[in-house]
Structures are given as structure tokens and as C-alpha cells.
Amino acid sequence: MRLYAIVAAGGFRRHTTYRIATAAGVFTNTVFGAIMAYTYMALWSVRPGLGGYDQSQALTYVWLGQALIMTVAMMGGGFEDELVERIRTGDIAIDLYRPADLQLWWLAGDVGRAAFHLLGRGVVPLAFGALAFDLALPADPRTWLAFLLAVFLGVLVSFSIRYLVALSAFWLLDGAGMAQMAWLGGVFFSGMLLPLNVFPGALGEVARALPWSSLLQIPADVLLGRHTGWGLVGAYGFQLGWAALLLGTGRLLQAAATRRVVVQGG
Amino acid sequence: MTDVIQLDGVEKVFEVRRKNGRRLRRERKQVRAVDGITFSVPRGEMVGYIGPNGAGKSTTIKMLTGILTPSGGQVRVAGLDPSRERTRLARRIGVVFGQRTTLWWDLPLYDSYRLAHRMYRIPDDRFRANLDRCVELLDLGELLDVPVRQLSLGQRMRGDIAAALLHDPEVLYLDEPTIGLDVVSKAKVRTFLRDLNKERGTTVLLTTHDLTDIEQLCERVMVIDHGRLVYDGALAGLHEVGGSERTLVVDLERELAPIELADARVVKVEGPRQWLAFPASASAAPLVAKIAERYPLVDLSVREPDIESVIARMYADRGLH
Amino acid sequence: MAETVAEVTVRHRDAPVGRLRGAAEGVRAYRLIAGMWIRSTLAYRASFLMTALGNFLATGLDFVAILLMFSHIDALGGYTLPEVAFLYGASGAAFGLADLVMGSMDRLGRRVRDGTLDTLLVRPVPVLAQVAADRFALRRLGRITQGLLVLGYALLTLDVHWTPLRALMIPLMLLSGGAIFAAVFVAGGAFQFVAQDASEVQNSFTYGGNQMLQYPPTVFAKDMVRGVTFVVPLAFVNWLPAMYVLDRPYPLDLPQWVAFTPPLVAAGCCALAGAAWRAGLRAYRSTGS
């Protein structure tokens, strides 16, 4: 367990060194947040209460989206490129002989990264949004804690999806296509462009049932106080369920990949 | 004009910003990477340009190729001012960066040459002739259809050298051309460069960490340290100036007292293994014969002096520092 | 020596001619390098098809979001769906054009950091062309295609009285708009000579600008509209010419003839971006990173 704590701390520290990149990213998130905030204001002024949000809740959703975009890696990014590269070059064989579990190893690093991005890329855009717009942020610290737990589970689900995508590089010569498909899912079905509550009819039903809704929609609704009591437990259960299913699939795939590497002689 | 490379009091000063303690104030510091270098290289010469890491070697090469603008002094290469006439100069020089390939990773080797053909506007007959020659001498025939990513380091380096020569450059800069190569590849590269220099009269300037490169290729060697030229002359002279020594590593049958010989001294003993230093100018053979005669010899090897130690000794002898 | 001095003077007098020749050389080098990248991509054909399709779908997503919005409303900021689609298609196609040609400029910082920029500086062709053509990706045609499809949909559904001048606005938007976005890409690249890790800042102006231009200007705060009109003149990509086509007032008080100025603005932007690029390259060559 200590090993994984060290790996996670390493994942955190590694990103602290990119200071200018972080500042540039915060700037970009803030610009996108402002653009989206105005389009949402236009939308909600015509249809107040759309998706069950009032205007300030909709704006809060926009800024949460910008604050979490890196943390839960909605557009990918993080460890996948490195893992794919190791698979392509064959260095993965070394990792498989390490006395640590491959999946947990990368998960720990990704959790560290997410923690950094929550602080480094999340706080400033959200604070800017709160200053420049009228947001519906809760005063109760327990709501914030509940939100943080939902974000953590979102990171788990996000990791498990990206891990599957990266492992596909064992079978596909070039994982770019796979990564792009996952990217599409992350951008559209996380609700980053438009809250999933606003998706009409069956599309909305499907979108809310997909794993990507764990990344933004659920954490945002937790912060906006829309999941409380047993509803909150249900939301966590939904996230945990997807995380367990996808992590489990990842383990199966990993086992198959390991056999493959061993057969090929590394 | 016989001097194809001329440097006169060339300087390159970098401004380095570094953090000052815990405070966020940054201190600006000037670093003189190249500090007044003057030399010239006649057409057709093959010169080694050596020095420890960070001595200013690659900064000099970057000024000679026009990548960097000098802060002071005069540079002329092939009659051009590299920094102001960079693209014109590019047609007349060839550059090989040892650890950075310019070949196209996913494409067959030949495709990289075809690009050079068109990018440098090489006349068809020249291109054909140069390519055929490189293919023959660098043994590239089998590799032309192989994607570059599948080549070994040595094969890639040979491919890179060929790519730098297709446009008949007057000057060839080689930055660590043998780094990381196996013995066979090293030998191929060296033979090729020697022939190129002899037959084409191409001027070659090479930086290296491997003194054997210099020994086998260059009659003249320049040593740079802390941005200054500290030696310019024959390699043999460098050994003399530096009083440099080679090391004979001897494995005996068992632990014995330090070997006693007139023309070598033991510098280290570790169990049955002993290290003996002897002058680089002397031959190892008589020494080995003497040891084998008197001691139970199991195995031995000769280590060449590395550049760092040659330079260190040079300083020690001259009382510099 | 004497001959060299003469040479320098001659070149000075012919500076504009020299620059034109440099541009022609640059275009030629760009074509050569882009061709190599196309061949490289085709080495992984299946992956290429998948990424091209993905690119097409990915760029379509934000239009799907707009469609979803319009499933709840009839007008956004006072603009109907065909009108918003017109803005979207024009900006998307113009941006796609710039992205196809200049989309790799954000890799410059990385090349400075890992030192591979030096290998470009020892070739006899302009560095800008080499950096721009780096990793040239035909899959980016997906974005242009998607923009043009939405534009086509808008043209079919718009209720506009077409005149020759209004029709002229469409190619004008795509070409000038593409040039304005391309200038932003180049300026962003030049900025990375100074701040190698700041490639994401340029995304704010390229991707962010494109996203903003896809919505009507009436949606945004006046200060934001002023910013993209007078500071980073993205409004000239599609907003101003489109106002003329759609016969709508611009949120800022600007005369109608402004709708015809995008080519001039584009030329100005390109000149400024070129100057920024040369300054950046000069800085790099004097500091070495």
C-alpha cells in the first residue's frame, strides 16, 4: 500500500513542475468557461428551468465542467500516451515483472495527477467563475465533501475507461483511433458540452446511464444538491458499479495481454 | 580562399535566469558559453573538436551552421556569414546530429533521400552518383526499403550520414557520429569518413567523446574548455601536453603484491585485478610481454584515456586553474 | 570580401522580391514535407481512416450540442437555427482550413525544448514552412468537411434574399477567415519561442475563438465582442460579413462597409504574425532556447 502512495505522490509532483503549462491551461479553461457561460445564459434566459436547473445552477455547471475537465480527464490525457508508448516499444515487459500490480500502479499515478489537476487547474477557473458570474455554490461544507467523493469516483471511472483504451494497443498496431473514439465519448457523454439533463428523450436516458456521466454530471449534481440522502448513495453506487465493472474488464484484458507478452518472450 | 572555416574572436554569451533562494526574485547571470575563439580550417582538413560536456562545443557548431547568432567576433564558413546567410549556407554544408535523426521514422530509408533530393534541388545525376556511392560504401543497399524505425542505431547513423552528403556539401559537421554504435558500425563509419575526406576533399569537423575517432581520423585536434580553445595541434602533441596515460587492466591468477615494472606504475589493486598506468605514447605490447613472463596472467585489457582525464592532466601540468 | 558586400547591397535593394521568393520556396517546401507526412500516415491505413472519421465526428459534436439546444428553443440570442448554422459553418470551415495548413504550430514549444528545432534550421528552406508542415494530417479534412456540410445546410434553409454581393461574402469569409485563423496559429507559435510550455494559450484563441464565433455576437457581453473585434480581430472571420448577409445589426456601432474589410484585416494579421514569427526566431537564435 505504501508503494502506491509513493507512486501517487510522484504523479502529483511530476505535474507540479509544469508551471507555465498549468498557467496556460488555467487561462484556456477560463476563456472557454466565459464563452460557454454566455451561451448558457442565452439558452436559460429563453427556457428558465431547463433540465431542472435555474440560470445560476446552469452557470455553476459550466464552471464545474471547466474546473474538472483535466481532473477527470474528460478529453483524455494523463497516463495513456505513456502506457501506449511502453506497450509499443515493448518496455511493458519490464513493468510486468515488477513486484507491483500493473493496473494499481498506473491508477495510483493517475490519482496523484488528478489531485494536482483539481488544485492546479480546478480552483482558479471556478473562483474566476464565482467572481464574474452569479453561481449557486453551496455553503455547507458537507456538500463539498460529498462532491469531492463523487469527483474521486469520477476519476476512478475515467481511469478505468482510459486504461482499457491503452491496453487495446496490445492488439492494435496504433491506438490513435481507439483513443479518438474514447475522446468522443468523454467529450459528448460526460456532459461537458451540454448537461445530460438537457439531452432530450431516449438519448438523454442512454447518456445518463453511460459510464461517462460519472465524470461531470454526477459530481455537478452532487454539488448542486440534487442528490441527497439515499439519492446520494444511489449516485455513488452508480459510479462504483461502473468503476468495478470497467476495472474488472481491465484486469481480464491485462491478464490476456500478459499471457501474450509471456508467449512472445517479452 | 583556402580557409573554408574562419573564426575570429567569436563569443557567445547567454543570459541565464535563475531563482535566487526562496524569494521569487530572479537573478540574471551571464554565461560565456564561447569566450573568444579564433581558429581556421583549411579546405580538405579533417579536424577533431573535443572538450568536456558544457565546454562550448555544440554552441560553436551551432554558430558555424548559422543556428545561433554570435554575440561577438567574426564567423565565415565557405565565404558566407552563417547567421545572416543561413539558408544559403545550408546548401553547402552537411550536418549530422549524433542523437537526433533527421530521417523519416515511418517511411523507408530511401524516401528520406528522395526528400533531400528535392529539398536541396540536387541535380539528378549528382543525386544518383552520390547515393550510389553512399549505398556502396556505407553498406545501405539492403536497408533502402526498410522503414527507419526498424533500423538499428548503427544503421540509422549510417543512413543519417548519407543523407547529409547527397547535396555535395563542402563542409561536414558531425556531432558524436559514433556514440552508442557497436564496434563494426564504428569501423564502417570511420573508414567511410576517411575515404570521403581523401577522395572528395570534404572538410570535416567532428566532435566526439571517443578519442579513438580522433586517433583514426584526424591529424589535428582542437580542445575547448570553459568556452576557450586550450589546445590546437596534432593529437600526439595533445598526449604529450597532457602527459596522458593509458591503463592496462590485468587479471592475475590470484591476489599478489603490486606488479613492479620500470615503465608502468600500479594505480589500483582489487583482489587479483590490478590497474597499471603507462604513457599513452608507449606501446602496450612489450609491457604485456614483460608481465606475462613474470606473473601468472589470466586476462588483460587496455583502456584508452578519456577526454576528461586528458584535459584534467593538461591543466595539472600547465598549472592552470 | 568586396564581392560579398556588393551581394548584400543587392539583396537589400531587392528585399520585397527576396521575400516573395522566400514565400515561394516556403510553399514548395511545405508541399514536399506535407507529402512525406501523408505517405507516413498511409503506412497505418486503418488507423488513418478511423482518425479521419473520428475527426469528422468530433468536430460535429459541438453542432450536435447546438441542435440539442434548439430542440428546446426557437432562437438563441435572437438567431434562428439556420442563422446559427450559417455562423457555425462559416467559422468551422475557415478554422478547419487554417487547422489543416497551420495546425501543427502548437508543437513548436516541444521542438524548442527537445532541440529538434535545430535540425530544421540547417535546411535550405524557411523554418516556418517546416514547422507548419510538421505532422501534416489529412484527417483534418474531417473538420473542413463538417464545417462545409453545416454551411451547406444553412444555405439551403436560410431565408435570405441573395444578391451577388451577399453570395461573394461566402468565399470571402472562408478565405479571409482561414487566413486570420492561420495568422493566430503563427502568432501562437511565435509566442512559444518565448514560453515553450504555453502552447495551450493559443488554443484559447484558435479553438476558443472558433467556438465563440459559432454563436451569435448578441449572446456575449459587449466587452467580449469588443475584444474579438478590435484586439484579436476574429469577428472579421464570420460575424461581420455574416451580419451583412443576414441583414442584422452588429452589437457594436460599426458601419456596414466593415463587412467588406476581412481581406484587409487578414492581410494585416498575416503581416503582424509574420513579424512576430521573425522576432521569435531571432530571439531563439540569439538565446538558443
Side-chain angles (χ1 to χ4, degrees):
Chain A
M1 209 53 224
R2 247 198 87 211
L3 169 69
Y4 300 110
I6 293 170
V7 174
F12 185 97
R13 254 200 319 278
R14 194 167 149 195
H15 283 85
T16 57
T17 52
Y18 305 119
R19 260 172 249 181
I20 294 180
T22 303
V26 164
F27 178 78
T28 305
N29 291 144
T30 309
V31 169
F32 272 90
I35 293 169
M36 288 180 73
Y38 280 105
T39 60
Y40 278 32
M41 275 159 75
L43 180 57
W44 260 267
S45 69
V46 185
R47 282 290 307 274
L50 182 63
Y53 291 152
D54 62 25
Q55 185 170 301
S56 61
Q57 285 177 317
L59 289 177
T60 312
Y61 186 92
V62 168
W63 288 101
L64 280 177
Q66 291 303 313
L68 293 181
I69 202 166
M70 288 300 287
T71 309
V72 297
M74 280 177 246
M75 305 173 76
F79 69 95
E80 310 95 282
D81 292 348
E82 202 183 329
L83 180 53
V84 167
E85 196 54 35
R86 290 188 77 79
I87 293 173
R88 277 181 72 177
T89 56
D91 288 350
I92 193 73
I94 304 166
D95 301 351
L96 288 172
Y97 290 113
R98 233 187 252 150
D101 180 75
L102 192 68
Q103 193 184 35
L104 272 178
W105 172 278
W106 289 99
L107 175 60
D110 199 51
V111 168
R113 173 205 60 78
F116 172 76
H117 279 147
L118 187 63
L119 297 173
R121 295 285 297 264
V123 173
V124 176
L126 190 59
F128 178 89
L131 286 174
F133 296 88
D134 175 29
L135 302 191
L137 294 173
D140 189 342
R142 280 173 302 177
T143 313
W144 283 97
L145 281 178
F147 164 72
L148 285 180
L149 180 56
V151 170
F152 174 75
L153 293 175
V155 171
L156 273 189
V157 174
S158 162
F159 167 83
S160 59
I161 297 171
R162 287 174 292 135
Y163 191 70
L164 286 177
V165 172
L167 285 190
S168 73
F170 273 111
W171 291 273
L172 303 173
L173 188 61
D174 174 25
M178 233 10 228
Q180 194 156 25
M181 291 301 153
W183 186 87
L184 285 176
V187 169
F188 194 65
F189 291 112
S190 65
M192 188 185 109
L193 297 173
L194 202 64
L196 302 180
N197 301 348
V198 176
F199 283 27
L203 179 65
E205 303 281 333
V206 172
R208 287 187 288 274
L210 290 175
W212 288 288
S213 69
S214 304
L215 308 194
L216 172 61
Q217 187 66 52
I218 290 179
D221 280 342
V222 169
L223 190 75
L224 292 170
R226 286 162 56 104
H227 295 302
T228 49
W230 284 109
L232 183 61
V233 176
Y236 288 155
F238 176 85
Q239 290 181 301
L240 270 174
W242 270 119
L245 182 67
L246 293 168
L247 287 171
T249 314
R251 297 207 72 86
L252 287 178
L253 221 55
Q254 180 184 324
T258 310
R259 273 198 300 280
R260 205 178 137 90
V261 169
V262 171
V263 168
Q264 284 180 348
Chain B
M1 192 193 299
T2 52
D3 284 341
V4 70
I5 301 175
Q6 289 174 297
L7 281 83
D8 189 6
V10 172
E11 290 177 11
K12 183 69 204 172
V13 183
F14 293 120
E15 202 155 85
V16 181
R17 263 179 282 167
R18 54 145 62 144
K19 279 206 193 109
N20 188 9
R22 294 230 173 101
R23 273 171 296 168
L24 277 171
R25 274 192 49 197
R26 280 161 186 242
E27 197 177 85
R28 278 164 184 254
K29 210 181 122 200
Q30 290 207 326
V31 177
R32 308 185 74 81
V34 170
D35 193 5
I37 284 191
T38 302
F39 68 76
S40 53
V41 179
R43 193 174 290 280
E45 200 167 47
M46 184 121 113
V47 186
Y49 193 56
I50 63 176
N53 283 330
K57 270 181 313 198
S58 48
T59 306
T60 317
I61 300 280
K62 283 182 188 175
M63 288 192 284
L64 287 172
T65 48
I67 294 171
L68 284 179
T69 322
S71 323
Q74 286 273 329
V75 185
R76 312 270 321 158
V77 175
L80 299 172
D81 175 346
S83 105
R84 293 182 54 191
E85 299 163 282
R86 178 173 52 81
T87 40
R88 287 182 67 194
L89 180 68
R91 290 183 193 285
R92 300 173 57 177
I93 60 172
V95 187
V96 178
F97 294 106
Q99 282 145 311
R100 277 178 221 129
T101 182
T102 55
L103 304 172
W104 286 72
W105 198 243
D106 284 323
L107 294 180
L109 184 58
Y110 182 70
D111 286 25
S112 295
Y113 299 150
R114 232 178 31 179
L115 178 70
H117 180 189
R118 302 187 57 192
M119 189 183 271
Y120 285 83
R121 297 180 194 272
I122 308 166
D124 291 348
D125 54 332
R126 290 307 308 151
F127 174 72
R128 266 282 129 227
N130 288 338
L131 184 62
D132 288 349
R133 192 186 142 82
C134 286
V135 164
E136 189 197 326
L137 295 178
L138 285 168
D139 212 355
L140 297 172
E142 311 255 292
L143 307 177
L144 286 177
D145 295 328
V146 179
V148 172
R149 66 183 134 84
Q150 290 171 13
L151 299 182
S152 73
L153 198 61
Q155 292 170 332
R156 215 157 68 212
M157 175 53 73
R158 273 144 53 202
D160 259 311
I161 292 177
L165 290 170
L166 297 174
H167 58 286
D168 286 316
E170 296 161 47
V171 183
L172 177 66
Y173 301 105
L174 296 158
D175 186 16
E176 301 285 358
T178 59
I179 198 163
L181 301 197
D182 59 278
V183 185
V184 179
S185 293
K186 273 187 188 181
K188 267 186 196 156
V189 166
R190 285 176 189 146
T191 313
F192 176 80
L193 291 176
R194 209 178 301 128
D195 292 352
L196 174 84
N197 174 256
K198 209 173 287 165
E199 288 169 27
R200 290 290 173 93
T202 309
T203 311
V204 179
L205 188 70
L206 89 134
T207 73
T208 182
H209 263 82
D210 189 341
L211 272 186
T212 323
D213 283 346
I214 309 269
E215 256 166 23
Q216 299 196 358
L217 294 175
C218 310
E219 301 198 336
R220 176 181 169 196
V221 57
M222 291 186 279
V223 181
I224 181 173
D225 193 32
H226 291 97
R228 295 182 182 214
L229 208 57
V230 291
Y231 180 83
D232 184 351
L235 180 67
L238 179 64
H239 280 307
E240 245 160 60
V241 171
S244 93
E245 291 178 323
R246 288 193 283 175
T247 311
L248 188 64
V249 184
V250 183
D251 284 325
L252 303 175
E253 252 170 35
R254 54 188 184 277
E255 279 185 53
L256 287 171
I259 297 171
E260 282 181 38
L261 280 176
D263 33 13
R265 62 194 165 80
V266 174
V267 287
K268 191 173 158 194
V269 180
E270 214 179 84
R273 177 173 284 189
Q274 303 199 4
W275 281 259
L276 288 92
F278 64 100
S281 44
S283 165
L287 208 61
V288 173
K290 271 185 217 165
I291 296 172
E293 208 171 277
R294 286 188 239 160
Y295 295 88
L297 188 61
V298 178
D299 196 8
L300 62 91
S301 61
V302 179
R303 294 201 184 150
E304 296 299 323
D306 58 3
I307 285 161
E308 273 79 3
S309 71
V310 169
I311 291 167
R313 293 188 62 88
M314 206 159 96
Y315 277 118
D317 287 8
R318 283 186 180 176
L320 292 167
H321 260 212
Chain C
M1 264 310 164
E3 75 184 49
T4 327
V5 171
E7 232 173 59
V8 169
T9 349
V10 168
R11 275 195 302 127
H12 244 280
R13 205 183 303 140
D14 293 348
V17 177
R19 189 149 295 167
L20 263 183
R21 198 176 305 139
E25 271 291 286
V27 171
R28 180 173 176 274
Y30 187 99
R31 282 211 331 264
L32 288 175
I33 297 169
M36 294 291 276
W37 278 110
I38 293 173
R39 293 164 62 87
S40 283
T41 330
L42 293 181
Y44 300 100
R45 206 168 300 243
S47 182
F48 165 71
L49 286 176
M50 225 164 144
T51 49
L53 180 68
N55 201 272
F56 175 80
L57 292 175
T59 50
L61 284 183
D62 40 4
F63 189 67
V64 174
I66 289 176
L67 287 177
L68 292 182
M69 286 185 183
F70 273 92
S71 73
H72 298 283
I73 53 176
D74 297 323
L76 189 69
Y79 283 62
T80 61
L81 179 59
E83 287 173 316
V84 172
F86 184 62
L87 292 175
Y88 180 101
S91 172
F95 179 65
L97 217 56
D99 183 47
L100 177 73
V101 180
M102 290 286 167
S104 294
M105 294 303 293
D106 61 347
R107 296 180 53 82
L108 181 79
R110 193 183 309 194
R111 299 213 104 175
V112 171
R113 247 180 295 141
D114 67 16
T116 51
L117 185 66
D118 290 346
T119 60
L120 308 186
L121 277 153
V122 297
R123 297 207 184 121
V125 292
V127 181
L128 179 58
Q130 297 183 64
V131 175
D134 188 24
R135 307 235 158 191
F136 180 85
L138 268 189
R139 72 182 135 78
R140 297 192 187 124
L141 282 175
R143 184 184 280 283
I144 301 179
T145 313
Q146 189 268 341
L148 287 177
L149 281 177
V150 174
L151 187 63
Y153 159 78
L155 293 180
L156 289 176
T157 49
L158 265 182
D159 185 20
V160 165
H161 172 64
W162 288 103
T163 63
L165 269 184
R166 284 197 169 131
L168 176 71
M169 282 298 173
I170 289 163
L172 177 133
M173 282 195 291
L174 298 188
L175 295 176
S176 318
I180 292 173
F181 270 127
V184 176
F185 271 113
V186 172
F191 182 58
Q192 290 171 61
F193 279 119
V194 189
Q196 284 113 52
D197 293 333
S199 64
E200 227 186 302
V201 169
Q202 95 181 50
N203 291 349
S204 300
F205 298 100
T206 51
Y207 289 87
N210 180 40
Q211 171 145 13
M212 188 170 173
L213 296 179
Q214 291 170 350
Y215 291 92
T218 46
V219 161
F220 299 99
K222 277 247 168 89
D223 279 336
M224 281 174 84
V225 178
R226 275 192 202 101
V228 293
T229 310
F230 302 117
V231 184
V232 184
L234 294 174
F236 291 83
V237 170
N238 66 341
W239 276 356
L240 287 162
M243 297 305 109
Y244 176 80
V245 175
L246 302 175
D247 201 15
R248 291 253 184 187
Y250 194 60
L252 310 177
D253 275 329
L254 291 178
Q256 204 181 38
W257 56 261
V258 173
F260 295 90
T261 55
L264 289 176
V265 174
C269 287
C270 290
L272 281 175
W277 174 263
R278 282 190 293 276
L281 189 60
R282 205 177 312 124
Y284 173 77
R285 293 178 59 205
S286 69
T287 61
S289 82

